[in-house]
Amino acid sequence: LKGPHWSADWHVSVREKKSGKMIAFVSALPKHFSVRSIDVYCSEVNFLCIDKNYRSQRLAPLLIQEITRRLKLSSQCQAAFYTSGTALPGIL
């Protein structure tokens, strides 16, 4: 979670109000690419985790929206990309 050039602002967590238990977390890391000799600075959202009991409450879109908002506030980020660690059904 603390790769090269990481920022503490790019680590977002959600906690329960009563117990203080962390129920969701998302993080991002900056990435640098060259596309047809053009330098592109973007970020990779590389870790999203939500407690099993809260997955039905649509926290994932909210976390993605918040991390995207924070990435847009940083001047070095042009875009964000997301990866999935699970195989999608029907895709080889």
Side-chain angles (χ1 to χ4, degrees):
L1 296 177
K2 291 185 177 181
H5 310 292
W6 75 282
S7 173
D9 286 340
W10 294 3
H11 289 182
V12 180
S13 66
V14 177
R15 294 184 177 270
E16 270 187 343
K17 196 168 192 175
K18 291 181 182 177
S19 67
K21 175 185 166 186
M22 185 171 24
I23 58 172
F25 180 81
V26 65
S27 70
L29 287 173
K31 296 290 180 183
H32 173 251
F33 293 102
S34 290
V35 179
R36 295 185 181 166
S37 72
I38 298 171
D39 289 338
V40 177
Y41 295 95
C42 60
S43 60
E44 174 189 11
V45 177
N46 62 350
F47 189 74
L48 176 96
C49 184
I50 300 174
D51 188 283
K52 184 171 34 172
N53 299 329
Y54 292 90
R55 290 184 185 164
S56 65
Q57 297 185 7
R58 304 216 18 102
L59 285 174
L62 184 69
L63 287 170
I64 291 171
Q65 181 181 10
E66 175 61 20
I67 197 75
T68 303
R69 185 189 70 82
R70 291 184 183 202
L71 292 171
K72 287 180 180 179
L73 289 176
S74 72
S75 60
Q76 73 179 36
C77 182
Q78 293 180 357
F81 67 94
Y82 307 89
T83 58
S84 172
T86 59
L88 299 175
I91 298 176
L92 299 176

